[in-house]
Amino acid sequence: MTIKQSAWTGMVPVDDTALAVTDTGGPGQPLVYLNGAYADQSHWRRVIADLGSGYRHITYDERARGRSKRSADYSFEACIRDVDAVLAARGVDRPILVGWSYGGVLGWHWADRNPDRVAGLVTVDAFPVGLTGEAGAERIRKLFRRMRLLFPIAARLGLAARMSADQHADVNIELNEIAAASVPVLERLTCPVWFVLATGDSLGSEEGEMEQGRAVLDPVLARNPNVKVSAKVASNHSKILRNDSPAVAQAVRELAAAHGRTVG
């Protein structure tokens, strides 16, 4: 049962850090938003505005992003623990997880481990493919080292973490390895998993690479009836929440109506 429903903004302690969390409260279906790898919670503003006050919106900044504190651990497993910490702190039961990019992959794995604790997933342009092996890791490291002087500015805009270039790269390398091994996870998920996909490429990808990655979902869609594509939109990976928030909001709205709690 969801036990805390009043609006709240504050810090949630977990491990050696604390996460900045915003909870609108209210009796509606809880929606927990999982950010892109280096993004902060501000990127969800348009989706939340589109959905309105009939839902309970919970956003948070991951470690060293936004207003959250730094940590000694920026691993994927730490992010899994952070989801648990936020849900426990806010007394949330059976949320819909809405994840963009890194947050989408995080949502799959959290739901796989907690099938009875989730109402469904809306995944925004994440797919089970990635750059792997030594060649993939070196390509990622070169990209982030070239960008290193931009990180302090990008962090203030909610587009980077307060990490070194190598730490940014480590997060991305681990994500690519986990995403590339996630087809079995998606194939066995028992909750509804609805995708909103972008088109085109993203920063650091080569021409056509992202579309090839999205195509990896096709056999998953054929094998698991719980997985569907709600929409494919014109925006690219980086701009989808800004330019196509109505499509994301509509996927949440329809999934909640079909599988979530009644929205007042």
Side-chain angles (χ1 to χ4, degrees):
M1 181 177 70
T2 300
I3 59 174
K4 295 183 180 179
Q5 298 181 344
S6 58
W8 182 85
T9 299
M11 304 298 289
V12 170
V14 54
D15 296 345
D16 65 345
T17 186
L19 309 178
V21 178
T22 300
D23 180 354
T24 64
Q29 169 69 51
L31 308 175
V32 177
Y33 298 86
L34 307 177
N35 305 333
Y38 316 107
D40 66 17
Q41 59 188 293
S42 68
H43 293 269
W44 297 107
R45 285 179 297 197
R46 289 178 175 84
V47 174
I48 291 170
D50 287 337
L51 286 166
S53 60
Y55 299 85
R56 181 181 177 186
H57 304 280
I58 300 168
T59 58
Y60 68 97
D61 297 325
E62 261 297 350
R63 304 174 185 213
R65 285 81 149 175
R67 294 181 292 108
S68 292
K69 305 298 184 182
R70 287 186 170 94
S71 174
D73 187 355
Y74 298 118
S75 67
F76 192 83
E77 285 300 316
C79 292
I80 291 283
R81 295 195 298 275
D82 291 347
V83 176
D84 287 325
V86 170
L87 296 183
R90 300 311 303 149
V92 176
D93 179 58
R94 290 187 57 79
I96 292 172
L97 301 180
V98 187
W100 168 43
S101 191
Y102 187 105
V105 180
L106 183 63
W108 307 339
H109 284 263
W110 190 89
D112 185 47
R113 300 182 192 191
N114 300 277
D116 298 327
R117 297 176 60 198
V118 62
L121 307 176
V122 172
T123 299
V124 184
D125 210 43
F127 29 90
V129 70
L131 298 172
T132 59
E134 288 299 321
E138 184 57 27
R139 178 174 157 189
I140 291 167
R141 291 200 185 282
K142 285 181 178 178
L143 172 65
F144 282 98
R145 286 169 183 165
R146 286 199 304 268
M147 296 170 58
R148 66 189 183 280
L149 297 180
L150 299 175
F151 291 149
I153 297 170
R156 290 196 290 272
L157 300 173
L159 298 170
R162 298 188 306 283
M163 301 177 185
S164 69
D166 284 342
Q167 287 173 321
H168 277 84
D170 288 341
V171 168
N172 198 271
I173 290 165
E174 185 186 36
L175 170 64
N176 275 265
E177 295 284 350
I178 290 171
S182 291
V183 166
V185 173
L186 280 169
E187 289 183 340
R188 65 177 176 251
L189 285 174
T190 56
C191 67
V193 187
W194 292 13
F195 283 79
V196 179
L197 299 177
T199 53
D201 298 306
S202 68
L203 181 65
S205 70
E206 297 178 355
E207 185 175 357
E209 215 166 38
M210 296 289 280
E211 282 295 275
Q212 293 171 17
R214 295 177 186 109
V216 175
L217 281 172
D218 291 344
V220 176
L221 296 168
R223 294 188 192 107
N224 187 346
N226 297 309
V227 181
K228 64 175 277 188
V229 174
S230 174
K232 186 164 185 178
V233 298
S235 297
N236 67 21
H237 182 79
S238 301
K239 297 179 179 178
I240 188 169
L241 292 181
R242 183 174 70 194
N243 294 346
D244 278 293
S245 61
V248 178
Q250 185 62 18
V252 172
R253 197 176 288 117
E254 292 178 356
L255 190 152
H259 302 281
R261 200 164 68 211
T262 301
V263 177

